[in-house]
Amino acid sequence: MTDKTITSEKPYKILFVCLGNICRSPTAEGVFQHIVKEQELDPYFYIDSAGTSAWHVGEPANSKSRQIANKYGVELNSRARKFDASDFDEFDLIIAMDEENYRNLHKMARNDRDQEKIRKMREFDPDPGNGNVPDPYYGGIDGFEHVFNIIQRSSEGLLEPLKSKIQDKD
Ligand code: 4NP
């Protein structure tokens, strides 16, 4: 996934991307951050999230997303922002929640280097279903819990191979 050596001076930068940046990608940001912190690997990662739309810019994570995350001991502290092409320069890996986000990111990519940074979240899910993290926005709380569980499995699957790239760990 990466040839980059990860050190605390050069942390690995991951950007999670969905449509609104209020449900799925803030959950992924919070869950991944929580897992690396638990494993004392937080100095080696820089995590953020963004949306392909500007519809909810400035808003905190959705209240149902926060409710479910809190149930599992995870805090969601993000404020929504729109993805910008300059994010391709800043981040090592850009992870789309579904096929639509994936396609939109590819349309914004400026070159092969940008394209190669784009992946889909459920590539890292041991139980990948149809490959998409479903949009929970118009549904009930059960949908948000389903999304949380998918994101937790995928985040663990994403972190595991990256651990071997960490160099200056004692
Ligand atoms: P997200 O969910 O992409 O997971 O943040 C959505 C949030 C808002 C809308 C759609 C999806 N919306 O249509 O406003």
Side-chain angles (χ1 to χ4, degrees), residues 18-26 55-56 101 134-138:
C18 62
L19 178 59
N21 193 211
I22 53 170
C23 302
R24 291 166 292 177
S25 59
W55 301 335
H56 297 276
N101 317 143
D135 178 355
Y137 187 61
Y138 291 105

Side-chain angles (χ1 to χ4, degrees), residues 26-27 30-31 34 63-76 144-145 148:
T27 300
V31 165
H34 181 82
S63 59
K64 291 198 193 101
S65 297
R66 281 188 280 133
Q67 184 187 327
I68 292 298
N70 290 346
K71 177 175 159 183
Y72 291 93
V74 175
E75 264 188 60
L76 307 184
F144 284 80
E145 187 147 22
F148 185 93

